[in-house]
Amino acid sequence: MHTAVQPRAAQKGGGAAKAIRVAVAGATGYTGQELLRILSRHPAVTITAATSSGATAARRLPALAHIFTGEITPLDPPSLAQDADLAFLALPDKAAAGLAPMLVEAGVRVIDLSGAFRLRDQALRARWYPETHALPEGLAYGLTELERPSVEGARMVANPGCYPTATLLALRPLMSAGLIAQGADIVVDAKSGVSGAGKTPSERTHFSEVHGSVAAYGVFGHRHGAEIEQGAGCQVNFVPHLMPLDRGILSTIYVRVAPGTTEEALASVYERTYGGEPFVRLTGAALPEIKHVAHTNFCDIGWRVDPSGRAVLVSVIDNLLKGASGQAVQNMNVMLGLDQTTGLL
Amino acid sequence: MHTAVQPRAAQKGGGAAKAIRVAVAGATGYTGQELLRILSRHPAVTITAATSSGATAARRLPALAHIFTGEITPLDPPSLAQDADLAFLALPDKAAAGLAPMLVEAGVRVIDLSGAFRLRDQALRARWYPETHALPEGLAYGLTELERPSVEGARMVANPGCYPTATLLALRPLMSAGLIAQGADIVVDAKSGVSGAGKTPSERTHFSEVHGSVAAYGVFGHRHGAEIEQGAGCQVNFVPHLMPLDRGILSTIYVRVAPGTTEEALASVYERTYGGEPFVRLTGAALPEIKHVAHTNFCDIGWRVDPSGRAVLVSVIDNLLKGASGQAVQNMNVMLGLDQTTGLL
Amino acid sequence: MHTAVQPRAAQKGGGAAKAIRVAVAGATGYTGQELLRILSRHPAVTITAATSSGATAARRLPALAHIFTGEITPLDPPSLAQDADLAFLALPDKAAAGLAPMLVEAGVRVIDLSGAFRLRDQALRARWYPETHALPEGLAYGLTELERPSVEGARMVANPGCYPTATLLALRPLMSAGLIAQGADIVVDAKSGVSGAGKTPSERTHFSEVHGSVAAYGVFGHRHGAEIEQGAGCQVNFVPHLMPLDRGILSTIYVRVAPGTTEEALASVYERTYGGEPFVRLTGAALPEIKHVAHTNFCDIGWRVDPSGRAVLVSVIDNLLKGASGQAVQNMNVMLGLDQTTGLL
Amino acid sequence: MHTAVQPRAAQKGGGAAKAIRVAVAGATGYTGQELLRILSRHPAVTITAATSSGATAARRLPALAHIFTGEITPLDPPSLAQDADLAFLALPDKAAAGLAPMLVEAGVRVIDLSGAFRLRDQALRARWYPETHALPEGLAYGLTELERPSVEGARMVANPGCYPTATLLALRPLMSAGLIAQGADIVVDAKSGVSGAGKTPSERTHFSEVHGSVAAYGVFGHRHGAEIEQGAGCQVNFVPHLMPLDRGILSTIYVRVAPGTTEEALASVYERTYGGEPFVRLTGAALPEIKHVAHTNFCDIGWRVDPSGRAVLVSVIDNLLKGASGQAVQNMNVMLGLDQTTGLL
């Protein structure tokens, strides 16, 4: 039971202002709930559908009481297509692979948080996401700060994975500027909280297995590795680790920089790239920590270079926000021509 | 170093809208930083001073980069009195006891987050807060939902302690309605995260002492016990416990209800009290958990009654928000005649 | 793969010294693994069977490599009865309820870690453990320090629950000594780590649900409540809480003491009861913490009494050791006439 | 207060068996307490002195009640030299640098857990441990499994750092066997629990700063980096990270292997090196986790190699045991000609 308080949107009225109708498919998982939380407060949208699979449709979402006061309903693609201008898919890869093209076809703009449409290369996709048959036209890769032009005009956005978001925001500007030594190994040692593994209970996510422990997993076999390599344009040695915390990713990136490259040179590239960006904060030699970005849409980036040309980049995000739902709404804002921070600060 | 992004207030302009000048004294502690975070986004106020003691004045607040972009300055009472319409004091008791009366005298409205002015009884105050000499006129106790009329007209608000907030919001409506059996013991077993102990490092707050442990403390000698008894109007057996988590309080309250009192009777009282309150959520027999309220200003309350008249009430809050800075801003909103949720949802 | 190091027992030889053949049924759960760990090092026993249900029989137990080097086999009651002098049952209640009587019948001594045989009252057992049909003869309740005589002669021991162990070791000596005021409510607010919920993944044990949270559960409906009431001989208001830690229980017990009873009086009773006990440590007014007993078989007990007759008792144990496997081996030692600390310090 | 139970050694008698007199200087820190715990149960030694600096000399060690029942006394070097055959120094670097040579001179064997004597190179020592003037004769580096011959005959042992222990046990056998490609970068990304930072409270070890966070530190400037490079014989890119857990280190090591080197080739080298070692467990492609070694003296090592010659080694230890006090006692056992597992399994 909950007290009968009106949803905030209703309290504030403003029907005209909240003209965009959005749907969230997969609303009860961790990313789905974050979407509901953000979108319920977003001044430009109305949530017209929040769906879940049958079993959890009636589920209570106690953390969202007084915030999202709509109903969770079973997913019904035709009615979703009819009732929404834009749909967020927070679904398993396979479900998203089937639903997204149909929605795009029906004229609904789609922001897909699954991995199904992230890889452009057909062969890689066949390996990691075999359920994805083709890429819809008008598809953008939603690493917002680095792909804004294509997101602006997109009919559909493949929202990046959490590890690639943290890693590529730090790595790509240096690659583009030619500061990374060619041929040298790039190591990405990433540390993630458990919410990235999703809400389904498993031995890997059992509290007693994670608490007081740290574990590497997916060595040479994690599909975010392929996504990072796509973004970096070269081979990357990516190893994710599970940490005893709920939210957040810290990616430690080991590279060789071109001879003579200094910390100041990196600072200069980063400032040129992110100087006007509200969600990227540059910390320089004072390396960032997960605590600073938890529960925000920020990505904090720090770096160190030693005289021998070794560089260490550290990038942190909240995996559920900048690594998933926050960036998804940021992409929506860009697609709709809104201030990209709307609803996110 | 940080990229040169303008503070959000400046970006949005709206000087007229942000007409209230507020100061935060003690801006670098945990509650002070939460105040900066909330007030930086608050549409009706401008932060004109954020002070700290000398040693930490120049301190970087990396979590607040791109949010609060002002300076942290040493506390200077006269200039603070001149530059602010309203001041939040997130200071040690002794410092607040000295500063608050001076500011009130100078016409600055004060919201004090210390304990110095919470106890009305002179004798109790002499025991727990001997540095407090007298209570200023126009002082209200800022348990917002239950003290709104006095907060509305107040010149100064003593913001409640975190344990009393969680406990009294659950207990007082039942006391007022006469549902609690007289003479029976009331036990309040409270569990708190470590941020409630403040930011100063000590053996008690060392990670390795807290992680994997639970400890009772302050048995028969915690001053929040006096504050709870003041609010409840009777003796209460209060024992706080330190838990291995950062934020949040769960208060388990054991009472005897009057003969024949049912769960529905409690529900009825709670709904009458909190039915229109945005920040109190009633969960009934589905007991609330800290996770549901962390990083919010909500207080969630659940309850169970058995046929023999034993009742268990469970109340949860985020100790830094509803238990400190969130409720402080809620009180400011009420004092200023604003919608009480402004800046807090 | 593991290096081919011989099990420690084999290294040390001593066949004659390790004459007692023991079996562990349910060896891959948290309590089962603790049993294997302790028994592998125990100088008087040889593990002749370690069983698991089919699905997990082949499972790797990486934490036990180089410690327990035997095989995990499917449970086969007849061969277990033939190969073991004594069997530990770390099984679900229902499985234990079926297996234990058969083993006792076959002359195998049994230490049952399930709840199936803990309640003596037929009606209570029908409510909480309906699968248990009758109590075998020669059954003892294995709260070692308080039930040693009956354990010594037992053919079977019902090993106490974790919450009852922590609670009754603190409460019962005071009840027996007549120091508890009659008629006053007894509140037991217990805080437990997650390993007490067992190894099967569920939403309740998902790391992201537990981390940063605290939750009460089983109010008025936890069967350990019945077991505590059986041991205390009176009604008890017992509420367990789930804490974000792996191992350990802290039980806070609120009682009224008889008029004039002092802290010293409690100290005197506790010293009389536990003065020679290696596994009970009395901490007096310096209340104990879970950290002090984690990974040990100790129970630490502290207490405070105020002049008005309110008393707070705090008792801590490691739920997997003194609350389960450690006490089970302690009981075995007593049954076998060994020093009770053998293998446990 | 504590019940008057005799220390275990006294209970068991065996004066002749416990003939070696040992001292622990710095007995109240985290490593000092672990030493007391292990040595109190060790069948061959008697603790004749356990010292601390004045301020904490009288301090209660509640976790050690009923285990270590001696007194903590102020450090007095002459009497320590007289009363002990062997001394463990769990002191700050500077104090150890002064005390160790004096004790060796006096004929006391020394196992030093500080960093003061770990670096053989004079120039490196001048940089990282300037308080160390010279290395005593008969000094061994106590990485037990790889330096056993020199430990056996040593008058003093420099006990390795926690990061070097975890890293070098995995890396050195491959270096020695020539399996590591020359000239390629070696990256060591290490993750540590907070107890490695010691017991002195600081902002870095404040629970609220560590919980829910991960942070890199000491990039290009941690002295364990120099120790790892000394052991590896080449440059290593070492970055330690602080994790939200109490005990344990996981070291992820990225190397290039010589062309054609397979996982089996690594397995073969590791088995040859560690096949008879009780405290090194090889897990192969099933990578080890901190949870498996916490509270033990084990080092678990796993590895993966891909066809392109990239290899990832993962090594885990308990930083307070195999990374400090456990390995120190292992070294003592080797120095004394005892079974190296005595007191440690």
Side-chain angles (χ1 to χ4, degrees), chain C residues 37 41 63 67, chain D residues 247 281 292-299 317-318 320-322 344:
Chain C
R37 182 188 306 275
R41 297 160 174 174
I67 295 172
Chain D
R247 298 169 77 127
R281 302 187 297 193
H292 302 155
V293 297
H295 297 275
T296 80
N297 196 50
F298 291 116
C299 175
I317 60 170
D318 183 310
L320 293 182
L321 291 174
K322 184 60 175 168
L344 290 170

Side-chain angles (χ1 to χ4, degrees), chain C:
Chain C
M1 59 159 298
H2 278 102
T3 44
V5 168
Q6 287 301 312
R8 197 165 168 252
Q11 287 177 319
K12 299 293 170 63
K18 297 173 79 78
I20 314 291
R21 303 171 304 151
V22 301
V24 176
T28 60
Y30 291 138
T31 53
Q33 288 194 49
E34 285 297 324
L35 284 169
L36 291 184
R37 182 188 306 275
I38 299 167
L39 295 169
S40 294
R41 297 160 174 174
H42 194 289
V45 308
T46 303
I47 300 174
T48 52
T51 78
S52 183
S53 58
T56 55
R59 167 170 233 136
R60 229 166 50 94
L61 297 175
L64 292 180
H66 285 207
I67 295 172
F68 171 71
T69 51
E71 303 249 317
I72 306 291
T73 56
L75 173 61
D76 176 45
S79 69
L80 189 150
Q82 196 159 11
D83 296 346
D85 302 312
L86 186 149
F88 293 91
L89 309 189
L91 298 170
D93 298 326
K94 190 173 177 183
L99 182 59
M102 188 274 262
L103 291 173
V104 171
E105 193 90 352
V108 178
R109 277 184 281 192
V110 170
I111 297 176
D112 178 27
L113 285 81
S114 87
F117 297 93
R118 290 176 190 155
L119 298 180
R120 282 186 304 269
D121 183 85
Q122 168 71 31
L124 283 174
R125 221 165 51 236
R127 175 170 176 205
W128 296 111
Y129 303 100
E131 57 277 353
T132 309
H133 297 302
L135 300 184
E137 274 188 63
L139 175 71
Y141 180 71
L143 190 61
T144 325
E145 283 79 7
L146 301 180
E147 305 277 357
R148 190 174 286 110
S150 70
V151 172
E152 282 170 349
R155 296 170 62 187
M156 172 173 169
V157 165
N159 214 54
C162 49
Y163 288 121
T165 295
T167 304
L168 294 173
L169 286 176
L171 187 57
R172 252 185 51 187
L174 305 187
M175 307 288 290
S176 303
L179 294 193
I180 305 296
Q182 301 225 324
D185 281 346
I186 296 178
V187 168
V188 175
D189 186 293
K191 296 95 179 161
S192 173
V194 179
S195 60
K199 204 179 170 185
T200 307
S202 70
E203 189 167 339
R204 175 156 288 293
T205 61
H206 191 299
F207 184 86
S208 294
E209 300 299 316
V210 176
H211 182 260
S213 201
V214 170
Y217 68 100
V219 178
F220 304 135
H222 195 290
R223 51 202 184 176
H224 282 191
E227 188 180 343
I228 292 171
E229 294 185 337
Q230 168 181 281
C234 64
Q235 201 194 41
V236 168
N237 198 354
F238 166 66
V239 177
H241 296 72
L242 201 65
M243 302 282 118
L245 50 84
D246 180 23
R247 298 168 76 125
I249 285 179
L250 184 143
S251 186
T252 313
I253 306 167
Y254 301 84
V255 296
R256 285 266 166 195
V257 289
T261 304
T262 61
E263 280 184 9
E264 291 68 33
L266 272 64
S268 169
V269 166
Y270 282 131
E271 277 164 30
R272 209 160 56 226
T273 310
Y274 297 124
E277 289 294 343
F279 290 127
V280 179
R281 304 188 296 193
L282 304 175
T283 69
L287 299 179
E289 310 182 12
I290 284 178
K291 188 180 172 69
H292 302 154
V293 297
H295 297 275
T296 80
N297 197 50
F298 291 117
C299 176
D300 285 8
I301 301 173
W303 58 92
R304 296 292 309 278
V305 180
D306 87 345
S308 78
R310 298 183 297 179
V312 175
L313 320 175
V314 176
S315 175
V316 294
I317 60 169
D318 183 311
N319 58 305
L320 294 183
L321 291 174
K322 185 61 176 168
S325 304
Q327 185 158 250
V329 172
Q330 188 182 357
N331 282 325
M332 179 192 78
N333 288 338
V334 171
M335 291 168 90
L336 297 177
L338 303 170
D339 181 325
Q340 70 177 325
T341 66
T342 311
L344 290 170
L345 272 186

Side-chain angles (χ1 to χ4, degrees), chain B residues 253-335:
Chain B
I253 307 167
Y254 301 83
V255 296
R256 286 264 166 196
V257 289
T261 304
T262 61
E263 281 184 10
E264 290 68 32
L266 272 65
S268 169
V269 167
Y270 282 131
E271 276 164 32
R272 208 160 57 228
T273 310
Y274 297 124
E277 289 295 344
F279 291 126
V280 179
R281 303 187 296 193
L282 304 176
T283 69
L287 300 178
E289 310 184 11
I290 283 178
K291 187 179 173 70
H292 302 154
V293 297
H295 297 274
T296 80
N297 197 49
F298 291 116
C299 175
D300 286 6
I301 300 173
W303 57 92
R304 296 293 307 278
V305 180
D306 87 344
S308 77
R310 298 183 297 180
V312 176
L313 320 175
V314 176
S315 174
V316 294
I317 60 170
D318 183 311
N319 58 306
L320 294 182
L321 292 174
K322 185 60 175 168
S325 304
Q327 185 157 249
V329 172
Q330 188 183 356
N331 282 324
M332 180 192 77
N333 288 338
V334 170
M335 291 167 90

